[in-house]
Amino acid sequence: MIDRIRRYVPVLDWGRRYNRDALHNDLMAAVIVTIMLIPQSLAYAMLAGLPPEAGLYASILPIVLYAIFGTSRALAVGPVAVVSLMTAAAVGQVAEQGTAGYAVAALTLAAMSGAILLAMGFLRLGFLANFLSHPVIAGFITASGILIAASQLKHILGVSASGHTLPEMLVTLAENLPEADPVTIAIGVGATGFLFWVRKGLKPLLIGRGVKPKLADVAQKAGPVAAVVVTTLIVWGFGLADTGVAIVGAVPQSLPPLTLPSFDFDLLTALFVPALLISVIGFVESISVAQTLAARKRQRINPDQELIGLGAANLGAGFTGGFPVTGGFARSVVNFDAGAETPAAGAYTALGLAIAAMALTPLIHFLPTATLAATIIVAVLSLVDVSILKTAWAYSKADFAAVAATILLTLGFGVETGVSAGVTLSILLHLYKTSKPHVAEVGLVPGTQHFRNIHRHKVETDPAVLTIRIDESLYFPNARFLEDYILGRVVEGGPIRHVVLMCSAVNVIDFSALEALEALNHRLKDMGVALHLSEVKGPVTDRLEKTHFLRDLTGRVFLSQYDAWVALTAGPPPAKAAE
């Protein structure tokens, strides 16, 4: 019972070994991540169409809950760009931005996402994320980065614009461009340029002037904070808010409130599909980051427990006025590089954000929204990787088609359509690739017991023995393909008397494939050809023994392909079936 509790509550495991060194490292990491997360939280709340304080609320209790239930030592949970954009797209369909109903729908979406993730975790459905192929995910994130950057141009220009697709955004921006505010443009462009320079040039500059690398790294991470402070002082000092520069305005000075998601059936129905998509995308993004960072320290991530940790975090966001959250790549890498030893670093980050929510919110009253937009643009453009198209084209035309389709559909029809298409394309791509698996006719490498493709190597063959190696498990999409391939080869192959199916790469034979093998066995028998199997794995043999297939098999099951070669090249051919 204790082991089971520790499995579902990992803090009871690593917490027992917590020491002073870990505390010191976690506190240092928390300070750096807190500095980075304050402007990010405000910016991502704006991206989601919510007031700035919602970003802080979504970054306090969710982080604490993940620290209790998550398994990654370095993952930093909170609002992220892609999920924030998906939140705006989903909630914008059921409520008007700026209304109380919009905020309620956003926290309801977080709670629904949390419930879905928890259910998937308890049912151990983490493997479902594997159905999202990397090319499709890369295409979706690239398109989302472009959409997010485009959506923030209105704040940089100081104009009104709307739309959830790239054509809609560009058209409304062009229509309202004459109304652009020069002062807002100066602030937005200046902040964007400064943040790009900070990301690439500040650290080398400081190191070149004798600053220690670790301190230079902290200064680089504090770049967005510097942009926030400077532009806020400029707007306040020159009274630019009175000239038309949009500002954040009054932000409640309080800890996250206790909120209750809506249980309206129509709202829950409308948000279910978006909540499911946000859950899957958020989990895929989070688990990818967590596993990458864990591998660097030879630590282990439990995907099913990660679902529970992220589910708890989203439920926390839903009950404290937040919106959907997940593990962020940039802040998690910062957390890792800063020396975080345990998930407690996240809890300390939450404490720092709570202090900020209580004490610092009056200081951001004059913060220009153009600065927050610049923060978002600089953050998301690092996600855009157009080179994936070139790489996919060179490696696999099918993967290229999936990437290109996902990008175009996301840009042209919005994130929900894009991610739905991505999931569908991932599954169809998998079925397509496995429906026509690689099949090789193999022969004996002289002087060895190894068998290789007759078209790639100089091997020994016997005209009476056809050995086929299939490099894929046998299941319903490819069962008929294998049957047709072997029958076609036998018909054109002359004096073939034995067919050996080499099963070294076959991990599963499902019921459809079993029926195809039975049909193949009977047809070959009618043609006077025996069907044999070799190198069948134990679990596959166990399942076949529960059927009559092995009893009806016209040939034998050999332990190795070499045993089949020795036996069949010296043995007599089978008797042809009676007409």
Side-chain angles (χ1 to χ4, degrees):
M1 178 63 70
I2 293 176
D3 290 340
R4 178 171 293 186
I5 292 175
R6 286 176 181 167
R7 175 191 161 199
Y8 287 112
V9 189
V11 67
L12 299 178
D13 183 26
W14 60 261
R16 293 181 304 154
R17 300 185 295 274
Y18 201 67
N19 53 40
R20 183 174 297 180
D21 290 338
L23 173 64
H24 176 266
N25 292 334
D26 287 344
L27 284 174
M28 288 297 296
V31 170
I32 296 173
V33 175
T34 300
I35 292 172
M36 178 183 182
L37 197 52
I38 290 174
Q40 273 194 359
S41 298
L42 301 174
Y44 291 151
M46 183 176 73
L47 177 58
L50 294 162
E53 63 269 18
L56 293 174
Y57 298 162
S59 303
I60 297 177
L61 184 59
I63 299 179
V64 175
L65 290 173
Y66 179 82
I68 295 172
F69 296 103
T71 60
S72 172
R73 304 293 179 94
L75 190 69
V77 172
V80 299
V82 174
V83 171
S84 298
L85 178 65
M86 294 178 71
T87 298
V91 178
Q93 296 178 1
V94 297
E96 184 178 350
Q97 187 173 328
T99 64
Y102 191 96
V104 171
L107 62 90
T108 302
L109 185 65
M112 290 180 68
S113 178
I116 291 171
L117 288 165
L118 279 177
M120 292 174 66
F122 285 120
L123 294 174
R124 300 186 182 183
L125 299 179
F127 70 91
L128 292 178
N130 297 332
F131 286 100
L132 274 173
S133 67
H134 174 72
V136 167
I137 286 292
F140 173 72
I141 291 178
T142 293
S144 296
I146 296 172
L147 276 180
I148 292 168
S151 72
Q152 298 308 298
L153 290 178
K154 62 183 180 183
H155 299 294
I156 298 292
L157 299 173
V159 299
S160 299
S162 60
H164 295 297
T165 68
L166 187 61
E168 292 173 350
M169 293 177 189
L170 294 180
V171 168
T172 55
L173 279 173
E175 290 174 349
N176 295 304
L177 193 58
E179 301 174 8
D181 178 48
V183 179
T184 300
I185 293 175
I187 293 173
V189 172
T192 303
F194 171 75
L195 291 174
F196 272 119
W197 174 77
V198 165
R199 176 167 289 202
K200 299 293 184 181
L202 180 60
K203 186 175 180 180
L205 176 67
L206 293 176
I207 292 176
R209 296 193 176 183
V211 178
K212 292 182 179 180
K214 197 164 187 178
L215 186 59
D217 191 59
V218 173
Q220 182 186 46
K221 301 300 186 297
V225 176
V228 167
V229 172
V230 171
T231 56
T232 300
L233 289 175
I234 290 174
V235 171
W236 171 71
F238 291 94
L240 298 180
D242 297 329
T243 67
V245 174
I247 60 175
V248 168
V251 178
Q253 191 175 356
S254 66
L255 291 174
L258 290 177
T259 55
L260 190 65
S262 172
F263 293 97
D264 179 74
F265 180 77
D266 291 337
L267 179 62
L268 295 178
T269 302
L271 293 180
F272 177 76
V273 172
L276 179 62
L277 296 176
I278 286 173
S279 300
V280 174
I281 290 294
F283 173 65
V284 170
E285 181 177 353
S286 179
I287 197 68
S288 299
V289 176
Q291 289 178 335
T292 299
L293 297 179
R296 296 185 187 180
K297 290 190 175 182
R298 297 189 177 185
Q299 296 169 346
R300 181 176 176 271
I301 299 298
N302 184 334
D304 294 323
Q305 184 61 34
E306 282 297 288
L307 285 166
I308 294 174
L310 292 174
N314 277 280
L315 279 178
F319 284 91
T320 54
F323 56 98
V325 298
T326 192
F329 176 77
R331 74 175 72 104
S332 296
V333 172
V334 170
N335 196 36
F336 180 88
D337 291 341
E341 292 284 342
T342 72
Y348 303 145
T349 299
L351 179 61
L353 292 170
I355 294 173
M358 288 288 292
L360 302 182
T361 49
L363 302 179
I364 63 172
H365 182 278
F366 290 99
L367 171 62
T369 56
T371 301
L372 293 179
T375 302
I376 294 173
I377 289 173
V378 173
V380 301
L381 286 183
S382 64
L383 303 175
V384 177
D385 181 17
V386 182
S387 65
I388 186 69
L389 290 168
K390 180 180 179 181
T391 304
W393 176 264
Y395 187 76
S396 168
K397 300 301 185 289
D399 285 332
F400 170 81
V403 174
T406 302
I407 291 176
L408 293 175
L409 288 170
T410 302
L411 293 177
F413 297 95
V415 290
E416 188 171 322
T417 300
V419 71
S420 300
V423 173
T424 304
L425 284 171
S426 293
I427 296 174
L428 291 178
L429 190 59
H430 170 73
L431 293 176
Y432 171 76
K433 288 180 177 178
T434 57
S435 66
K436 294 183 178 180
H438 179 258
V439 175
E441 184 176 340
V442 298
L444 178 66
V445 178
T448 72
Q449 297 184 10
H450 299 290
F451 289 78
R452 293 294 184 268
N453 193 322
I454 64 172
H455 299 297
R456 293 178 179 269
H457 303 273
K458 293 182 179 180
V459 294
E460 297 178 5
T461 60
D462 187 314
V465 179
L466 171 66
T467 298
I468 298 296
R469 188 192 71 222
I470 179 170
D471 297 330
E472 184 64 68
S473 291
L474 298 176
Y475 71 127
F476 68 94
N478 61 26
R480 183 56 62 87
F481 171 82
L482 178 65
E483 180 183 354
D484 292 342
Y485 179 91
I486 292 177
L487 290 175
R489 180 66 182 82
V490 170
V491 169
E492 68 180 23
I496 294 175
R497 315 306 289 166
H498 301 279
V499 172
V500 184
L501 186 59
M502 188 175 174
C503 301
S504 54
V506 176
N507 297 315
V508 174
I509 297 178
D510 76 355
F511 192 74
S512 296
L514 174 64
E515 290 187 331
L517 288 177
E518 290 174 342
L520 177 64
N521 184 52
H522 289 302
R523 291 186 183 183
L524 290 177
K525 182 179 179 181
D526 292 340
M527 299 167 67
V529 179
L531 176 64
H532 308 267
L533 306 180
S534 73
E535 302 189 10
V536 184
K537 295 181 178 179
V540 177
T541 301
D542 293 341
R543 297 187 67 176
L544 292 178
E545 287 177 344
K546 296 177 181 179
T547 71
H548 56 77
F549 173 70
L550 295 182
R551 294 192 300 271
D552 296 341
L553 189 66
T554 55
R556 297 162 55 188
V557 178
F558 294 95
L559 182 63
S560 71
Q561 179 58 34
Y562 185 73
D563 291 342
W565 172 264
V566 171
L568 299 178
T569 54
K576 187 174 182 179
E579 296 293 340

